[in-house]
Amino acid sequence: MKKIIIAIDGYSSCGKSTLAKSLASHLGYTYIDSGAMYRAVTLFLLEHSIKVEDQDRVQTALKDINIRFADNNHTLLNGRDVESEIRQMSVSNYVSEVAAVPEVRRAMVSQQQQMGEERGIVMDGRDIGTVVFPKAELKIFLTADPEIRARRRYDELAQKGQEATLEAVKANLTHRDHIDSTREDSPLRQAADAVIIDNTLLNREEQLDRAIFLARQAGA
Ligand code: CDP
Ligand code: CDP
């Protein structure tokens, strides 16, 4: 069967990675979490006290950053498993500022495009259908009610034992969505040929069923 490229974009915490992971697993495809890459860069900058305004240090840092994904999908930053650290609020609170830097985007997009050379991938993010793979055979734009998104992320963090109030989570999602959709370089946009799935009232299985249907239609 033909291997296609599937792009899933949308606002923060609307279920992109949950859908992308399960769709990839169903199709026998590789799942790539592009947001994890921006989070890993952010963690590196925070650990080295590098501010995004310091362009020279950011440029140098990018040369020292190697991001890979382990077989269990965990994110490796220079060989170190940082999967849990990159999900902390300290990273969430700075990642959109980091992801708005054009040099950071250039470096990540180029790596993401290389990862897609073999095709048979499901990648989720903000600019996958518009910039990274504008010719992807299937583009899904996922949305959900902002209150539901905040509640789901809050529950997820609480389950992992990470401290955060619902208000703080909500504020973070609003802040990131604003920066992500208004930045100059590759802002979050729905691609003209993307299919919208609103999962406000859908559970994980229902959203997966819709995506499998669309993937089969697209030739997967
Ligand atoms: O999972 P969540 O929706 O919280 O965010 P994420 O997908 O892990 O992405 C974290 C941040 O990385 C986003 O808020 C964006 O600022 C940035 N990002 C981006 O700019 N472009 C992408 N393709 C993916 C993420
Ligand atoms: O990747 P993104 O930030 O868009 O969202 P996610 O991390 O996949 O999903 C955020 C939370 O919503 C997770 O805890 C998912 O299990 C949950 N979720 C849900 O409850 N129902 C859905 N239809 C989709 C996601």
Side-chain angles (χ1 to χ4, degrees), residues 50-63:
I50 301 172
K51 296 253 180 332
V52 290
E53 292 79 17
D54 196 341
Q55 290 185 13
D56 290 346
R57 288 190 75 198
V58 172
Q59 292 266 28
T60 309
L62 283 170
K63 295 193 191 102

Side-chain angles (χ1 to χ4, degrees), residues 63-146:
K63 295 193 191 102
D64 293 334
I65 293 175
N66 179 287
I67 301 168
R68 290 276 172 274
F69 292 102
D71 290 341
N72 58 2
N73 285 328
H74 281 201
T75 311
L76 305 178
L77 170 60
N78 293 334
R80 179 178 126 221
D81 187 331
V82 292
E83 189 55 35
S84 158
E85 283 164 89
I86 60 170
R87 309 288 162 194
Q88 288 173 358
M89 287 301 280
S90 52
V91 171
S92 297
N93 284 333
Y94 200 44
V95 63
S96 288
E97 281 79 355
V98 172
V101 177
E103 288 76 19
V104 172
R105 300 209 70 78
R106 250 200 310 276
M108 294 305 111
V109 168
S110 145
Q111 288 183 34
Q112 289 152 8
Q113 288 171 335
Q114 278 173 29
M115 291 171 177
E117 271 169 8
E118 307 274 305
R119 310 182 64 75
I121 61 159
V122 185
M123 190 178 291
D124 77 309
R126 303 294 187 289
D127 60 342
I128 311 306
T130 51
V131 174
V132 182
F133 296 117
K135 293 189 179 151
E137 286 85 351
L138 173 60
K139 300 177 186 176
I140 294 176
F141 193 83
L142 210 53
T143 74
D145 176 84

Side-chain angles (χ1 to χ4, degrees), residues 3 7 16 22 29 32 36 78 84 93-94 125 146 156 176 219:
K3 295 229 173 215
K16 301 180 299 296
S22 52
Y29 280 21
I32 300 163
N78 293 334
S84 158
N93 284 333
Y94 200 44
E156 184 187 337
R176 283 198 286 132

Side-chain angles (χ1 to χ4, degrees), residues 141-158:
F141 193 83
L142 210 53
T143 74
D145 176 84
E147 293 288 327
I148 299 268
R149 293 196 271 128
R151 166 58 66 177
R152 286 174 179 166
R153 177 54 51 89
Y154 170 79
D155 288 345
E156 184 187 337
L157 290 172

Side-chain angles (χ1 to χ4, degrees), residues 11 20 48 70 102 112 121 136 142-143 146 155 171 174 180 186 204 207:
Y11 292 99
H48 292 81
Q112 289 152 8
I121 61 159
L142 210 53
T143 74
D155 288 345
T174 309
D180 294 346
S186 34
R204 298 176 193 81
Q207 70 173 11

Side-chain angles (χ1 to χ4, degrees), residues 155-172:
D155 288 345
E156 184 187 337
L157 290 172
Q159 260 176 18
K160 289 180 186 159
Q162 290 189 23
E163 297 266 325
T165 63
L166 180 58
E167 284 315 309
V169 170
K170 217 180 275 182
N172 175 256

